Amino acid sequence: MSLLPTSSELVARARADLRVGLPVVLGERAQGLIALAAETLTPARLSALRSLAGQPHVALTARRAETLRARAYDGDLARVILPPDVDAAWVRALADPALDLDAPMKGPLATAREGAVGLHRLALLLAKSAQLLPAMVTLETDDPAGIAATLMATCLTPEAAASDLALHHPLSPVAQARLPMEAAEQGRLHIFRPDNGGIEHYAIEIGRPDRDKPVLARLHSACFTGDVLGSLKCDCGPQLHAALGAMGQAGAGVLLYLNQEGRGIGLANKMRAYSLQDQGFDTVEANHRLGFEDDERDFRIGADLLRKMGFRAVRLMTNNPRKTAMMEAEGVAVTERVPLITGTNRHNAHYLSVKRDKSGHML
């Protein structure tokens, strides 16, 4: 067994590098890209990047480019030509819509319309996987291996990195223990970890569900604000407790607690979205202004966990038809959709109407 890192481990290393402000290099042979996350860019590193030959760009998703009225000639992304006189704070303001009111004068923005964009697209996917704002400061290079060695930077080959980012990494059981809960004294908590060093996910097993029958199941995405703080802006906390209560009353069930906060964008970006909602944007509009899609979650995780635990069929507690379709596509039979309707208050009424009207939830 080699002690060298695998392509998946290099991607994990690259995510960590971006989060602390280090550059990563994407490419092979004579086509490459130096990329830094706009969110963690420092003045010193911007200056160092400018000292290299070439024209730096800021790669943005088309969603964010639309907000900035920057032309996305590349379809799903735009490459903003970095003006020579702007600083790191300007770059951050370009990426972070929470700063739109503080720094409204960022344009007109010139965007590139020629050249290959595959590496820029890969850089944005990498930023998303690190739960950073999807905005990357980039500089093309014809010697990716050489510049990576000079900068002591993680170097990713495009095909391997793209494959890893699209892959659902298998989850392995790490630990489990008996856990008496208010909802049910007969409870167990299972911890699962993906093989790429990513975030762990949990399964809460109520009673002793029969593996030969459809189990009452719920896929619940983590919501720190709702589950822990009792936020009134969403219905997550009430749904969590209602699902556990129903399983306790039935005597058996499994709730999968998936660490995909904020529909997969992370807690920091979710708080940015909340800030935009305070300005009058709805949930979907806020995600788009941040540069994300409506929902960035990967529900394949839920199907994988159920199979790992020996379940092949579920009575799924959900209002989201996308979850039902994903389960079926992943080979887990949904014998019944069990509605999970909770109360409405003046703080979450609009949020729930957006879930119904824009995301197709059956409320």
Side-chain angles (χ1 to χ4, degrees):
M1 178 179 176
S2 173
L3 293 176
L4 295 174
T6 65
S7 58
S8 180
E9 290 162 348
L10 286 173
V11 170
R13 181 183 292 176
R15 276 193 287 264
D17 289 349
L18 292 176
R19 289 180 66 86
V20 298
L22 288 169
V24 299
V25 177
L26 310 172
E28 56 187 341
R29 293 185 288 276
Q31 185 177 16
L33 195 72
I34 306 168
L36 298 101
E39 181 175 344
T40 54
L41 181 70
T42 64
R45 289 204 166 109
L46 177 59
S47 177
L49 187 71
R50 281 187 166 131
S51 70
L52 304 176
Q55 171 62 59
H57 296 86
V58 181
L60 303 170
T61 66
R63 295 291 193 188
R64 179 61 180 152
E66 181 181 8
T67 297
L68 297 168
R69 292 179 170 79
R71 290 189 177 274
Y73 292 113
D74 305 316
D76 58 341
L77 65 92
R79 291 168 292 153
V80 175
I81 299 170
L82 189 67
D85 57 343
V86 299
D87 58 12
W90 184 92
V91 174
R92 171 65 183 271
L94 198 69
D96 189 348
L99 302 176
D100 283 350
L101 295 180
D102 296 332
M105 303 303 291
K106 293 185 281 290
L109 301 171
T111 54
R113 60 191 307 171
E114 296 179 352
V117 297
L119 296 179
H120 296 81
R121 184 173 292 114
L122 183 59
L124 290 172
L125 288 174
L126 189 61
K128 282 186 177 185
S129 76
Q131 294 191 339
L132 296 168
L133 288 167
M136 298 289 281
V137 181
T138 64
L139 183 69
E140 294 181 0
T141 175
D142 59 6
D143 183 17
I147 195 68
T150 299
L151 301 177
M152 294 196 300
T154 302
C155 188
L156 304 177
T157 57
E159 185 175 352
S163 176
D164 182 80
L165 290 171
L167 183 68
H168 165 60
H169 288 270
L171 293 143
S172 300
V174 176
Q176 61 168 293
R178 185 178 67 86
L179 182 66
M181 294 172 287
E182 287 184 5
E185 290 191 9
Q186 296 295 320
R188 295 190 73 81
L189 179 61
H190 304 255
I191 311 299
F192 293 85
R193 182 180 297 156
D195 65 2
N196 67 339
I199 196 165
E200 295 165 352
H201 303 279
Y202 318 134
I204 303 162
E205 187 175 7
I206 303 295
R208 295 185 179 275
D210 188 342
R211 265 60 174 173
D212 294 325
K213 295 180 181 179
V215 64
L216 184 62
R218 163 79 180 158
L219 274 65
H220 185 87
S221 296
C223 177
F224 174 75
T225 50
D227 299 342
V228 178
L229 303 181
S231 168
L232 299 177
K233 285 177 66 71
C234 64
D235 58 346
C236 301
Q239 283 193 326
L240 171 66
H241 296 293
L244 288 173
M247 292 173 188
Q249 188 171 15
V254 59
L255 186 140
L256 307 179
Y257 197 87
L258 310 180
N259 279 306
Q260 301 189 108
E261 182 87 39
R263 297 185 180 177
I265 65 177
L267 184 58
N269 286 320
K270 175 177 157 180
M271 289 300 97
R272 292 181 174 119
Y274 274 17
S275 177
L276 293 171
Q277 289 171 36
D278 289 340
Q279 297 173 29
F281 300 102
D282 67 34
T283 311
V284 172
E285 292 167 344
N287 269 28
H288 290 178
R289 291 182 76 87
L290 284 163
F292 295 102
E293 295 303 314
D294 301 20
D295 196 332
E296 298 276 354
R297 289 175 290 183
D298 183 359
F299 291 127
R300 294 175 296 179
I301 297 169
D304 185 22
L305 287 179
L306 286 168
R307 287 193 299 266
K308 286 285 195 309
M309 297 180 71
F311 299 108
R312 293 293 181 270
V314 295
R315 297 170 52 235
L316 190 62
M317 301 186 75
T318 185
N319 306 321
N320 185 353
R322 184 174 164 227
K323 289 183 182 179
T324 303
M326 180 281 305
M327 284 289 192
E328 296 282 1
E330 291 293 313
V332 177
V334 179
T335 62
E336 179 187 359
R337 184 187 73 83
V338 181
L340 187 59
I341 308 298
T342 56
T344 303
N345 63 65
R346 65 186 181 89
H347 298 284
N348 70 11
H350 181 58
Y351 163 83
L352 292 174
S353 69
V354 171
K355 285 178 75 171
R356 180 193 64 221
D357 298 338
K358 291 191 174 182
S359 300
H361 287 222
M362 299 176 182
L363 299 175

